[in-house]
Amino acid sequence: MKLTTKGRYAVTAMLDLALHCEQGPVALADIAERQAISLSYLEQLFGRLRKRGLVSSTRGPGGGYALNAEAGAISVSAVIDAVDESVDATSCGGASSCQGSIRCLTHDLWTDLSQQIQGFLDSISLQDLVDRRGIQAISAQRDEQVLKRLDSLANSAQ
């Protein structure tokens, strides 16, 4: 079982959005800068997140994305599901055809693991992550790094 970049980036971007949404809509370019994620990739992910109703978008100057619900009401599993990511630990995708057309000996074990992972991710909201002091510290460091980079660019342009 492996959570791909798609799921990891979606959760990271949604957490960044939750951390910065108090200032109004958040531009994807800002998330891309802070989290070192390709802007075009974020656009694809947020298209899926918007279709699933997790975020809303505002166009124009000062536009961007906002959470469509309180951060406490959005689970990590909802974000992963929204981008069509699977946390299935079975080798057959849950189809019980692990070895050709037959079920393998350990199918039930991997199915149980998948259910445990799903339950764990269901139990964690974006707000739970926002409330972690370590995450707040990392977010503040990234914000500071971006500001320093922007100041450096502004000074070199003068």
Side-chain angles (χ1 to χ4, degrees):
M1 195 243 23
K2 182 179 176 186
L3 185 62
T4 67
T5 303
K6 186 184 346 176
R8 291 177 190 276
Y9 282 0
V11 172
T12 299
M14 287 289 285
L15 179 54
D16 184 285
L17 182 59
L19 286 160
H20 293 91
C21 67
E22 291 178 6
Q23 301 130 3
V26 178
L28 288 185
D30 293 342
I31 296 172
E33 176 77 21
R34 284 189 294 264
Q35 303 306 324
I37 301 171
S38 157
L39 178 58
S40 62
Y41 198 66
L42 281 178
E43 288 169 346
Q44 292 173 25
L45 293 176
F46 272 75
R48 292 176 179 194
L49 293 165
R50 191 173 44 78
K51 282 182 184 178
R52 290 287 185 98
L54 296 179
V55 297
S56 58
S57 62
T58 305
R59 293 179 182 256
Y65 283 86
L67 298 176
N68 241 4
E70 295 293 321
I74 301 173
S75 69
V76 171
S77 67
V79 174
I80 292 169
D81 290 344
V83 295
D84 300 324
E85 188 68 20
S86 172
V87 290
D88 183 9
T90 65
S91 63
C92 62
S96 296
S97 57
C98 318
Q99 295 175 324
S101 62
I102 60 172
R103 183 183 200 132
C104 71
L105 289 174
T106 54
H107 179 85
D108 290 340
L109 171 68
W110 305 127
T111 299
D112 291 348
L113 175 60
S114 298
Q115 290 169 351
Q116 290 291 320
I117 293 168
Q118 187 68 38
F120 174 72
L121 297 175
D122 281 340
S123 73
I124 300 172
S125 71
L126 292 177
Q127 189 64 50
D128 292 333
L129 297 176
V130 167
D131 290 343
R132 291 183 178 183
R133 205 172 6 178
I135 287 178
Q136 291 176 10
I138 293 168
S139 178
Q141 285 176 332
R142 289 192 178 250
D143 290 350
E144 188 177 314
Q145 288 172 344
V146 169
L147 287 175
K148 283 181 182 177
R149 218 173 315 154
L150 292 175
D151 285 345
S152 175
L153 289 172
N155 289 336
S156 67
Q158 293 177 349

